[in-house]
Amino acid sequence: MIEKINTLIKQASGFSASGINDIENFRIYYIGKKGLITTLFQEFKTIAPEERKEIGKKINELKTIVNDKIKTEKFRLLSTKKTEEKKDLSLPGDLLIPGSRHPISLVRNEIVEIFARLGFIISEGPEIEDDEHVFSKLNFTAEHPARDMQDTFFINRKSAEQSEKNDILLRTHTSSVQVRVMENQKPPIRTISPGRVFRNEAISARAHCIFHQIEGLYIDKKVSFADLKQTLLYFSKAMFGEETSIRLRPSYFPFTEPSAEMDVTCKICGGKGCNVCKYTGWLEVLGCGMVDPNVLENCNIDSQVYTGYAFGMGIERIAMLKYHINDLRMYFENDLRFLEQFRYSF
Ligand code: DAH
């Protein structure tokens, strides 16, 4: 009987179908109700008990081979059919609908590209940061409200008694990358740092707990506020149009001194006043200033020799101004009706 089964195994293994009917006949022949395998199992009942183990195994082997053959032959026939179809050059082409970039990526790339023209290179830092890089080295005092649970997502908050207090948290701004770059590189430094930031805010049209920023930093000998102004003017014209003007209003950030906020002339009304600029003619775009000498010293840069400027802007904000988007939540909802509108923007 072993001999017989071995011959059947050989036969089944060598089977090759030339059409779907061949496969069906093959199936009926071997594993159909009245097929060979049923007959073999009937014979099996009559053989001596000591031979059963070996013969049982062989019949099962044959069954597996037949089942596999049916699957592989079906697959082979279907795939050869497909390739033959592809060879028909008269068929119309497949319609390819291109994907679209997210508006945040579009604006991020545009900002990066504008600053790259001025020699700024990209630096990135971690989203999970520590207190030292997000706050302490940037001159935030111990009582600063940004260190409050209300504003910052803490991952591992140490107790106030622990002497070396260095909480682990989600960065609240990309200014933390400034610190990492200054700690690791020697001036001249000219870098921009795009990235995601996190704040403990209730989600609304004007606020979100996750958003994106771009930080800029330039450190060298004799860097002045005039350099900062000129760079920002160049950026604003490139981003919002040649006719754009800027204005700087005095402000406060712990890590810059002096500090300012920059507005650009409203693109929609050309500065005359409309509901987008709340009838002021100006739109607030970013924060900036001269890097505080304390921050330079905290990062081992000699503040007697070097000066520098920094600026930071929200990418969502710039995209809102550029594409007239009035609800921050749209960026994160993945609604195709919104995203598809950016299909042909590059
Ligand atoms: N980090 C600030 C924020 O999140 C933005 C900022 C302001 C960055 C002034 C700067 C700067 O580098 O000089 O609001």
Side-chain angles (χ1 to χ4, degrees), residues 106-107 109-118 229-246 262 264-265 267 285-286 313 318 322-323 346:
L106 289 172
V107 171
N109 293 350
E110 193 172 345
I111 300 172
V112 166
E113 193 267 318
I114 294 170
F115 283 103
R117 288 183 225 154
L118 299 174
K229 237 171 108 174
Q230 201 54 42
T231 306
L232 293 180
L233 179 65
Y234 175 81
F235 162 72
S236 303
K237 284 180 181 290
M239 189 76 206
F240 299 108
E242 220 13 70
E243 66 294 346
T244 309
S245 313
I246 61 168
M262 185 190 86
V264 294
T265 38
K267 212 179 143 183
V285 167
L286 55 79
M313 64 187 106
I318 309 278
K322 189 172 162 100
Y323 297 116
F346 296 100

